[in-house]
């Protein structure tokens, strides 16, 4: 209900009415947001307004409480002085929350514990500083309804049960009754926001640690949620156009998925917004679930932890409170069990969990398979091709009602059987939005492609030929044309690929280009997981660029921890680091939109790898008109091939066919396609390729 329908006076006095009944209960029951700063608050007040706070939760609302604990003089001085501040702060705040925990009765404790666990009730603690040595004694707050109407209060009222027995006065201001009232409301809200964000110079503001709140979280595992958590799911405005719509192809994908009874694959180029499109489909399904007062279990499976964190952040923007099923089973298992069990008991609620492939395929996660049949369920698989292995296919729940696969490259390289099984499980492609579509729709940047021929040294070429001969003897072709590759052949194929990625002349040519024209900011260099002398290739290139050429650069590898990655990519985006030298870990899911120049010193014959890499470089970014891709193509020494034996010529043709697949994929959409075509058409003609 709109605040405008509530009849509120200009002020409330406790001698005439109970503020809980006449103000807090009705406002909380109709609010989506409640900001309050108060010096005192207690379990008695929480009990008095428990129903109103539960209604706030059911509305999909959130509360932000800025409070001030009672401190001894020694505690206060220790916190403010900074000496042992971390130890004191943890002890004092933990004690304050423990006292509140012990003072709450079971029913009220269950309510506030769940509110904290669901992320609805958010606490911060304010301690006065500078010339102030008391407590943060504010008594003010702001409510907001679903229509954006706001009501603020200010006065001598504390959030304690006993305060309603005192002589107290509360002044009330609205955003819609008069200009003066709106101005006073804005003044209160500005003060609160500055305090909450730590911008008030006379307050030190802290967020309670997980340790302080742990008793509340643990309590939820023993009690069901005492309210219906009816979240308001919606697509964030910054993903919509001026008409409040997604891009037409995104809307089309969502509609086609629903038309296919909630099954299908979003085959969308990197950078085309498949995460947003998928979450839009999930949002529509969740909103439908809420409208029917039903239940829904959504599980989103992604390859890596950094991707899972990105999904969690975006899911929260859509209004979800995702359960993070990664980083240790003890951190999430109880929460997921409780959420699913509560929904089943109450016949209501949406549970959205996000896990990594490692969690999904683990034994600890198998216990949750049963929930896919107990309630309507949706499995979303990001980079779905990763689940096409025999292990991944076994874990796909057969009882999942709805299924959505996502990938720019859903076909598995050299694995038709795995690809077929994935399509049988998820369904047909409901959209195939290619890289060309993405460029034409201005989702991605136009680019130039510069392939350069690199000759093997004589020794490298002899090694390459010998490996090729051994591999050819170990590969068998079945009756239906299927390729059978032995384990030894796989080892030799990997060794041959490493040989191509570590070609001596690739590095000579690259550093010659660095000497001649230098490197621009926002440059990404891909190298192989090989060695150059005593160093890994990634470390060798970083060292050479830094010491010999004075280039500001960093490496990005699988060993780079998540926090360091975040700092590294942020510095790269801001131009504080000019160059990133990476191995394969930048292929899937890591956004580096500011990348404008790419040098591919190492690649593979797997289309998924080089298509993903191109997508990294083409993402849109401010002041980025074009992208530039430099590719290094392996060819034999003495490239005219005159006098080569038929066997050598055959080996070269096979090599060049594999390289040519990448060249053509990159060249056909490049701005300088004609130049590339001219360079390689003569080679194809000469060697009948």
């Amino acid at each position: 209900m709109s605040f405008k329908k509530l009849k509120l006076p200009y002020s409330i006095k406790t001698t005439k009415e109970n503020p809980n009944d006449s103000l807090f209960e009705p406002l909380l029951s109709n609010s989506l947001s409640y900001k309050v700063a108060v010096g005192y608050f207690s379990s008695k007040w929480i009990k008095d307004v428990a129903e109103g706070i539960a209604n706030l939760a059911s509305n999909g609302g959130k509360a932000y409480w800025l409070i001030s604990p009672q401190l001894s003089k020694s505690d206060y001085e220790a916190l403010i002085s900074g000496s042992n501040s971390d130890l004191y702060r943890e002890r004092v705040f933990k004690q304050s929350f423990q006292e509140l925990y012990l003072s709450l009765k079971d029913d009220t404790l269950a309510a506030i514990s769940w509110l904290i666990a669901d992320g609805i009730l958010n606490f911060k603690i304010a301690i006065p500083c500078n010339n102030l040595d008391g407590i943060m004694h504010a008594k003010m707050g702001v409510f907001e309804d679903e229509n954006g109407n706001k009501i603020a209060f200010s006065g001598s009222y504390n959030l304690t049960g006993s305060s309603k027995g005192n002589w107290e006065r509360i002044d009330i201001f609205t955003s819609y009754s008069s200009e003066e009232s709106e101005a006073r409301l804005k003044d209160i809200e500005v003060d609160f926001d500055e305090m909450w964000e730590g911008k008030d110079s006379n307050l030190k503001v802290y967020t309670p640690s997980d340790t302080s709140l742990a008793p509340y979280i643990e309590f939820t595992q023993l009690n069901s949620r005492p309210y219906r958590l009816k979240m308001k799911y919606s697509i964030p405005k910054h993903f919509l156009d001026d008409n409040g719509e997604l891009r037409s192809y995104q809307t089309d994908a969502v509609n086609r998925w629903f038309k296919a009874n909630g099954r299908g694959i979003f085959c969308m180029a990197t950078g085309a917004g498949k995460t947003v499109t998928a979450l839009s489909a999930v949002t529509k399904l969740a909103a439908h679930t809420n409208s029917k007062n039903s239940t829904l279990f959504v599980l989103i499976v992604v390859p890596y932890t950094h991707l899972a964190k990105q999904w969690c952040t975006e899911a929260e923007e859509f209004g979800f409170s995702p359960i993070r099923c990664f980083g240790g089973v003890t951190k999430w298992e109880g929460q997921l069990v409780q959420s699913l069990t509560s929904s089943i008991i109450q016949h209501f609620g949406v549970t959205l969990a996000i896990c990594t492939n490692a969690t999904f395929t683990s034994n600890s996660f198998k216990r949750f398979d049963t929930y896919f049949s107990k309630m309507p369920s949706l499995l979303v698989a990001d980079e779905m091709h990763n689940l096409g292995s025999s292990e991944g296919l076994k874990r796909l729940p057969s009882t999942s009602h709805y299924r959505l696969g996502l990938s720019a490259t859903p076909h598995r390289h050299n694995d038709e059987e795995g690809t077929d099984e994935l399509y049988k499980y998820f369904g047909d492609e409901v959209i195939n939005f290619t890289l060309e579509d993405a460029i034409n729709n201005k989702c991605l940047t136009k680019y130039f492609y510069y392939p350069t021929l690199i000759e093997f040294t004589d020794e490298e070429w002899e090694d390459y030929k010998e490996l090729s001969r051994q591999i050819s003897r170990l590969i068998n072709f079945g009756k239906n044309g299927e390729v059978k590759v032995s384990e030894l052949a796989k080892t030799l194929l990997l060794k041959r690929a490493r040989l191509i990625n570590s070609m001596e002349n690739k590095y000579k040519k690259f550093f010659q280009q660095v000497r001649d024209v230098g490197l621009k900011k926002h440059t990404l260099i891909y190298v192989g997981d090989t060695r150059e002398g005593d160093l890994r290739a990634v470390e060798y290139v970083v060292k050479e660029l830094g010491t010999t050429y004075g280039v500001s650069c960093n490496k990005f590898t699988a060993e780079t921890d998540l926090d360091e990655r975040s700092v590294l990519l942020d510095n790269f985006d801001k131009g504080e680091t000019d160059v990133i030298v990476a191995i394969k870990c930048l292929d899937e899911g890591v956004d580096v939109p500011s990348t404008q120049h790419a040098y591919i010193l190492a690649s593979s014959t797997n289309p998924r790898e080089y298509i993903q890499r191109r997508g990294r470089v083409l993402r849109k970014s401010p002041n980025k008109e074009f992208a530039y891709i430099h590719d290094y193509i392996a060819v034999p020494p003495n490239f005219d091939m005159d006098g080569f034996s038929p066997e050598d010529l055959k080996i070269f043709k096979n090599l060049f066919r594999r390289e040519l697949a990448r060249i053509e994929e990159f060249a056909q959409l490049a701005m300088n396609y004609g130049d590339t075509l001219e360079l390689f058409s003569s080679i194809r003609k000469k060697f009948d390729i």
Side-chain angles (χ1 to χ4, degrees), residues 128-415:
C129 58
N130 297 333
N131 296 323
L132 304 179
D133 58 3
I135 68 169
M136 187 280 296
H137 206 228
K139 300 171 183 179
M140 63 185 191
V142 181
F143 301 85
E144 182 175 357
D145 69 11
E146 63 181 358
N147 299 314
N149 299 312
K150 296 181 180 181
I151 293 177
F153 72 87
S154 178
S156 60
Y157 192 74
N158 292 308
L159 301 188
T160 63
S162 61
S163 58
K164 63 189 177 188
N166 301 334
W167 196 104
E168 309 271 4
R169 174 190 168 105
I170 304 171
D171 292 318
I172 301 169
F173 311 100
T174 73
S175 62
Y176 49 84
S177 58
S178 70
E179 290 185 5
E180 180 181 354
S181 183
E182 183 180 20
R184 291 182 182 276
L185 180 147
K186 287 181 177 178
D187 189 56
I188 291 171
E189 188 166 29
V190 167
D191 277 350
F192 177 88
D193 289 345
E194 288 184 351
M195 294 162 68
W196 183 264
E197 294 167 9
K199 295 179 180 178
D200 188 318
S201 59
N202 292 308
L203 287 176
K204 288 184 177 291
V205 178
Y206 306 98
T207 300
S209 67
D210 292 342
T211 303
S212 296
L213 299 177
Y216 298 91
I217 306 301
E218 292 169 1
F219 193 79
T220 63
Q221 299 180 26
L222 306 174
N223 297 269
S224 61
R225 185 184 281 106
Y227 51 83
R228 283 188 168 187
L229 185 59
K230 191 169 186 177
M231 303 298 290
K232 186 175 181 180
Y233 309 112
S234 62
I235 302 171
K237 291 181 180 178
H238 59 269
F239 293 128
L240 305 176
D241 61 20
D242 293 339
N243 296 318
E245 300 288 341
L246 289 167
R247 291 168 173 164
S248 59
Y249 66 86
Q250 293 176 312
T251 299
D252 192 39
V254 173
N255 291 340
R256 288 184 180 183
W257 182 74
F258 274 94
K259 190 175 181 179
N261 297 316
R263 295 197 178 186
I265 295 169
F266 289 174
C267 181
M268 299 173 67
T270 300
K274 70 178 186 298
T275 302
V276 171
T277 311
L279 284 173
S280 298
V282 175
T283 296
K284 187 174 179 179
L285 183 60
H288 175 75
T289 297
N290 272 353
S291 70
K292 298 296 183 182
N293 289 324
S294 184
T295 60
L296 177 67
F297 174 28
V298 181
L299 178 65
I300 300 173
V301 185
V302 304
Y304 312 114
T305 300
H306 69 268
L307 262 180
K309 290 184 175 182
Q310 289 177 22
W311 270 89
C312 287
T313 300
E314 293 213 38
E316 287 169 352
E317 288 190 67
F318 282 74
F320 295 96
S321 296
I323 298 173
R324 300 170 176 241
C325 301
F326 48 89
V329 65
T330 57
K331 294 182 179 180
W332 54 263
E333 185 177 36
Q335 189 181 359
L336 183 55
V337 169
Q338 185 62 52
S339 180
L340 292 169
T341 304
S342 177
S343 290
I344 291 172
I345 292 173
Q346 298 183 59
H347 304 289
F348 177 85
V350 175
T351 295
L352 185 142
I354 298 175
C355 73
T356 60
N357 288 355
T359 298
F360 181 60
T361 55
S362 67
N363 289 329
S364 61
F365 206 83
K366 288 181 180 178
R367 64 175 294 194
F368 294 100
D369 288 358
T370 181
Y371 289 100
F372 285 98
S373 58
K374 287 182 177 180
M375 58 198 298
S377 55
L378 164 62
L379 177 74
V380 181
D382 189 22
E383 308 296 356
M384 56 171 278
H385 47 264
N386 289 298
L387 293 177
S389 64
S390 57
E391 181 184 19
L393 291 169
K394 288 177 184 176
R395 290 293 298 119
L396 295 175
S398 61
T399 52
S400 179
H401 301 75
Y402 310 109
R403 302 167 186 179
L404 177 56
L406 311 173
S407 181
T409 51
H411 287 264
R412 288 172 58 82
H413 185 53
N414 290 334
D415 184 10

Side-chain angles (χ1 to χ4, degrees), residues 552-618:
S552 170
C553 60
N554 270 304
K555 66 179 181 179
F556 193 107
T557 70
E559 293 81 28
T560 308
D561 66 49
L562 293 180
D563 290 338
E564 187 180 348
R565 288 183 181 192
S566 179
V567 173
L568 192 159
L569 294 175
D570 185 54
N571 289 340
F572 181 75
D573 187 58
K574 291 186 294 188
E576 295 175 5
T577 297
D578 294 340
V579 174
I580 288 179
V581 185
I583 311 182
K584 292 177 65 174
C585 56
L586 270 176
D587 288 347
E588 288 183 345
V590 180
D591 289 337
V592 279
S594 56
T595 302
Q596 191 166 9
H597 305 268
Y599 291 81
I600 303 175
L601 295 174
S603 190
S604 77
T605 57
N606 187 340
R608 183 173 70 247
E609 179 181 295
Y610 54 73
I611 289 172
Q612 292 275 7
R613 289 184 174 185
R614 179 174 48 171
R616 300 291 129 224
V617 185
L618 303 189

